[in-house]
Amino acid sequence: MSFSKILIANRGEIACRVIRTARDLGYRTVAVYSDADRESPHVKLADEAVHIGPSAAAESYLCFDALLGAARKTGADAVHPGYGFLSENAAFAQACLDAGWVFIGPPPAAIQAMGDKALAKRRMLEAGVPCAPGYLGQGAADGQDDPRLMAEALKLGFPLLVKAVAGGGGRGMRLAREAGDMQQAITGARREAQSAFGDGTLMLERLIDNGRHIEIQVFADTHGNAVYLGERDCTAQRRRQKVIEEAPSPVVSQTMREAMGRDAVAAALAVGYRGAGTVEFIVDEHLKHYFLEMNTRLQVEHPVTEMVTGFDLVEWQLRVAAGEPLPACQADIRLSGHAIEARLYAEDPYQGFAPQTGKILWWRPEAALYSQVRIDDGIVEGGVVTPFYDPMVAKIIVHGRDRDDAIRRLRAALANAPLLGVRNNARFLSDLVNHTAFRTASMTTAMIDQWLESGEPLLRQPLPGDTVWYLAAAVFCLQGGAGWRPDSVAAFDLPLRCLDEQRVLRVRPDGAGRVAVSMVDQSALISLNGLNPAIPAAHGEISYEIDNVTRKAIAVMTASGLHLAVDGSSFVFNEVSPYPDAHQAQDATRACAPVAGKVTQVQVMVGAKVSEGQMLVCVEAMKMEMWVASQAGGTVAAVHVRLGDQVESGTLLVELTLDAGNGDPDAEGRAD
């Protein structure tokens, strides 16, 4: 089972992660890339790189022929699948083995046994692993029609999860809290599962309400050895997607850890496992655990296990794949300190976690790389976040003496490594780990979703304070503002907008890097350092002094506005034009794409009558469905997209002719 060159059949931060360890162990590496990833860091990091197709994953990272062809072309003799994409595809694993290559993962039979969630639960029940009640029927013969699923749901009782048997990562999953939710849950889960996995088969599972998501890292080799490496608590989730992970869990005792570890190892042995795997459990309010599923791959959150055990899990994967025994036995595995991982997503947590795309204007993670901090990323300043792949762009991982120590380090790291240019969840992550619910370990898997509905302050858009407005005005005044000369000492009014707020500030530069700023009855004198008059727009770290206190910020000026990172928050300021574009006003006759993505559903046709709030088109981006609804009642005048179209943010999807009195912008003063 020896090998010397590894093809990484993946992208982004996990490809970079695997390449680094493989290189340390003396292996050569091959990266693959799509059109969208041509300039991505993993391409530059590998020894060789092969273009495998268009940006769409189905035509590149999910294409057997392209990936296998890349391995043949470069002479790779091993394949590491990373996570996501084809990492849990038994047919791909078998194809690699049939070609004579080492597949750095479990045997195809184990992937298949655990990949079918219903079959996996049957195997776990046979192995004595506790499972939540559910309905595991598969195929038409066992009852996959809607009436049968509804009948089984009524037997089980609510709340229920409707889950794809081939699912993972929260895809193909819907929650039904009562019988009236079932039809929509079945339809949505089946559609998403068919799209994501090519299999719309569903199962039902009783929801453990107010539960915690705790998983056990397992490893097995070809010599009959199997161990567990402690647990990870992944309870902080939004829409069944993990946000924060930590090890060890703040609620797991040593006795509970051993019990879950035994069950996890039993689960692995039941399917003849080899390599890295994760057994996921849901834990109820009485700390009783139930098997959810087994992920037959390395997990996104594996770094927290590495932090507290001191082991490199990718190294373990490579050694096991080469036929070596596990590097440690169960007695050798000890947990030290506390580790937390925060997933940096290109999404707007203050707009329902809507995915975001765009150019990365500032990303310099080395600013946060002090002791006990690790940042795994696959992005680069100047690169572009596209709608084609998962919204996670980086992971910030910290290790501390205890949990409080780790939380403090994480918040500092998030503040020291801002991402500018693309809206992201960095401020939300910092606020979340400082929230009482997180600090007291009282989070549940549903809590963030419940906060979305209840208006929890944590999910309200933070606004810039007066000091930040002063700073923005000073930067605009001295560099990049409306053609004013930096050496001017004339006072003028500067209208600025940030988010939904607009202010007019009176500014007077003194020609020596200081600006007097006033608004209403307040004023401040700001001194700026770090702005280079020879550069026409601010770009970089600056220091500013207000009231004899000097602070630091990141300022990047572009055509889209001034991007400021200050004290762990980031804001975009724009000058307000004295000649506003009338076409920028919200127009209920035009339904536009909220994000860049793929059109997965078109629910209306020309001539159809629609009511206010009716769903028109669904755009999928970064594993999330975004529905566009009618803002008023009317008639469909035009449909500009078709199923499968790739659209940019703001693309016109549907035009409406509004009913009389519904605010048609052209109706006022128009003769009948």
Side-chain angles (χ1 to χ4, degrees):
M1 288 189 288
S2 64
F3 52 91
S4 59
K5 184 185 289 188
I6 305 169
L7 180 136
I8 296 90
N10 217 296
R11 63 177 298 279
E13 59 87 17
I14 184 56
C16 294
R17 164 76 186 90
V18 173
I19 290 169
R20 290 188 180 101
T21 288
R23 175 179 289 173
D24 285 346
L25 294 178
Y27 293 104
R28 291 186 63 78
T29 58
V30 179
V32 294
Y33 63 93
S34 69
D35 288 345
D37 283 337
R38 188 175 295 273
E39 301 299 323
S40 293
H42 74 279
V43 177
K44 296 178 173 61
L45 193 61
D47 297 304
E48 300 173 67
V50 181
H51 176 251
I52 54 172
S55 300
E59 301 173 70
S60 52
Y61 298 105
L62 292 173
C63 179
F64 279 31
D65 290 343
L67 293 167
L68 299 178
R72 293 190 191 98
K73 187 181 298 185
T74 57
D77 49 5
V79 175
H80 193 302
Y83 45 68
F85 293 137
L86 295 174
S87 62
E88 295 182 281
N89 188 300
F92 179 67
Q94 189 62 56
C96 292
L97 297 177
D98 291 344
W101 306 320
V102 173
F103 181 74
I104 304 173
I111 297 175
Q112 187 170 12
M114 286 302 191
D116 184 316
K117 307 308 179 189
L119 177 60
K121 286 191 73 172
R122 289 192 178 98
R123 298 287 288 270
M124 294 305 99
L125 289 168
E126 293 170 0
V129 178
C131 299
Y135 169 65
L136 309 179
Q138 298 183 61
D142 288 329
Q144 275 292 302
D145 57 280
D146 292 4
R148 177 62 182 277
L149 290 170
M150 182 67 76
E152 295 295 336
L154 294 174
K155 290 180 188 176
L156 287 167
F158 296 90
L160 275 177
L161 288 174
V162 181
K163 301 174 67 174
V165 299
R171 305 215 70 186
M173 186 187 301
R174 294 293 188 275
L175 171 62
R177 289 209 165 270
E178 55 188 31
D181 299 334
M182 274 299 293
Q183 188 56 60
Q184 185 175 354
I186 291 170
T187 302
R190 182 177 285 138
R191 179 184 66 249
E192 189 174 49
Q194 187 65 47
S195 172
F197 312 114
D199 183 353
T201 308
L202 302 177
M203 58 183 278
L204 306 178
E205 183 177 273
R206 273 296 300 273
L207 175 69
I208 306 298
D209 233 344
N210 298 315
R212 296 189 71 93
H213 183 119
I214 298 175
E215 59 191 31
I216 302 290
Q217 175 73 61
V218 295
F219 244 99
D221 61 21
T222 57
H223 302 273
N225 305 308
V227 298
Y228 65 91
L229 293 93
E231 80 282 356
R232 297 185 287 258
D233 196 314
C234 309
T235 299
Q237 302 180 9
R238 53 99 175 104
R239 295 193 179 96
R240 308 289 164 185
Q241 294 283 321
K242 298 165 185 174
V243 177
I244 298 284
E245 301 101 350
E246 56 183 320
S249 168
V251 302
V252 171
S253 65
Q254 182 60 28
T255 300
M256 183 178 174
R257 180 174 299 118
E258 292 172 358
M260 295 178 74
R262 285 193 299 269
D263 284 338
V265 169
L269 294 176
V271 295
Y273 204 76
R274 182 189 71 236
T278 297
V279 181
E280 299 191 343
F281 295 97
I282 190 72
V283 176
D284 66 18
E285 56 189 342
H286 305 296
L287 297 183
K288 184 175 181 180
H289 63 277
Y290 301 90
F291 173 83
L292 278 179
E293 62 185 19
M294 183 177 186
N295 295 127
T296 52
R297 53 172 167 78
L298 200 65
Q299 291 279 88
V300 174
E301 56 271 21
H302 76 274
V304 293
T305 297
E306 294 182 321
M307 286 277 200
V308 297
T309 62
F311 297 121
D312 182 330
L313 299 191
V314 174
E315 179 181 345
W316 279 38
Q317 283 188 299
L318 301 184
R319 293 196 181 284
V320 167
E324 297 180 25
L326 291 177
C329 63
Q330 193 66 60
D332 298 327
I333 298 169
R334 297 283 186 272
L335 307 185
S336 174
H338 199 94
I340 305 179
E341 173 181 288
R343 298 190 185 194
L344 188 65
Y345 284 115
E347 65 182 14
D348 188 346
Y350 312 112
Q351 296 294 329
F353 296 98
Q356 305 292 308
T357 59
K359 184 176 181 179
I360 298 168
L361 302 177
W362 184 272
W363 175 244
R364 303 189 182 182
E366 61 275 9
L369 294 180
Y370 48 85
S371 176
Q372 304 300 307
V373 177
R374 163 179 165 183
I375 297 180
D376 288 6
D377 67 346
I379 57 174
V380 66
E381 190 173 303
V384 177
V385 177
T386 71
F388 302 106
Y389 314 116
D390 190 277
M392 189 185 75
V393 294
K395 303 181 306 194
I396 295 88
I397 313 106
V398 300
H399 183 259
R401 181 183 63 253
D402 53 32
R403 194 166 184 258
D404 285 343
D405 197 29
I407 290 173
R408 184 175 59 255
R409 290 173 185 267
L410 177 60
R411 300 191 75 212
L414 286 165
N416 291 336
L419 171 63
L420 296 181
V422 182
R423 287 192 181 184
N424 59 82
N425 67 336
R427 169 65 186 270
F428 168 74
L429 292 170
S430 181
D431 291 344
L432 176 60
V433 297
N434 198 43
H435 193 280
T436 301
F438 187 88
R439 282 195 173 270
T440 60
S442 55
M443 295 285 296
T444 69
T445 55
M447 187 169 285
I448 294 177
D449 294 333
Q450 292 166 355
W451 287 347
L452 276 170
E453 298 176 3
S454 66
E456 161 67 32
L458 186 72
L459 287 167
R460 296 176 192 163
Q461 175 72 62
L463 300 175
D466 291 346
T467 298
V468 181
W469 282 94
Y470 294 145
L471 174 60
V475 175
F476 266 99
C477 177
L478 295 181
Q479 207 154 23
W484 291 299
R485 291 174 14 202
D487 57 355
S488 170
V489 292
F492 55 87
D493 287 336
L494 177 60
L496 294 180
R497 176 183 295 277
C498 181
L499 299 168
D500 293 328
E501 187 176 5
Q502 181 174 323
R503 298 186 184 186
V504 177
L505 300 97
R506 185 74 173 172
V507 296
R508 180 189 292 276
D510 70 354
R514 292 185 297 270
V515 182
V517 185
S518 61
M519 51 185 176
V520 193
D521 58 350
Q522 304 177 70
S523 63
L525 180 65
I526 302 181
S527 296
L528 287 177
N529 296 304
L531 289 180
N532 186 348
I535 300 175
H539 190 100
E541 184 176 285
I542 60 174
S543 63
Y544 62 101
E545 181 183 318
I546 298 180
D547 295 332
N548 297 318
V549 177
T550 301
R551 299 180 175 89
K552 293 181 179 180
I554 304 296
V556 179
M557 183 78 79
T558 71
S560 63
L562 171 63
H563 299 252
L564 276 181
V566 185
D567 297 332
S569 297
S570 59
F571 303 101
V572 181
F573 288 84
N574 298 97
E575 269 188 89
V576 180
S577 170
Y579 309 106
D581 185 349
H583 295 291
Q584 290 179 354
Q586 188 176 37
D587 184 352
T589 67
R590 299 163 61 85
C592 299
V595 295
K598 181 180 179 181
V599 176
T600 57
Q601 289 195 75
V602 179
Q603 296 280 53
V604 292
M605 61 181 63
V606 174
K609 295 287 292 182
V610 298
S611 57
E612 182 177 354
Q614 183 174 332
M615 300 303 175
L616 305 176
V617 176
C618 182
V619 177
E620 182 179 295
M622 299 176 170
K623 299 169 63 174
M624 183 175 177
E625 290 184 338
M626 304 287 290
W627 278 96
V628 179
S630 174
Q631 299 176 43
T635 303
V636 177
V639 178
H640 295 282
V641 291
R642 294 176 297 180
L643 198 66
D645 283 356
Q646 198 73 37
V647 297
E648 295 296 321
S649 177
T651 298
L652 179 60
L653 306 175
V654 176
E655 287 186 90
L656 303 177
T657 300
L658 303 186
D659 293 338
N662 269 345
D664 184 340
D666 298 324
E668 186 176 348
R670 185 175 58 196
D672 291 337

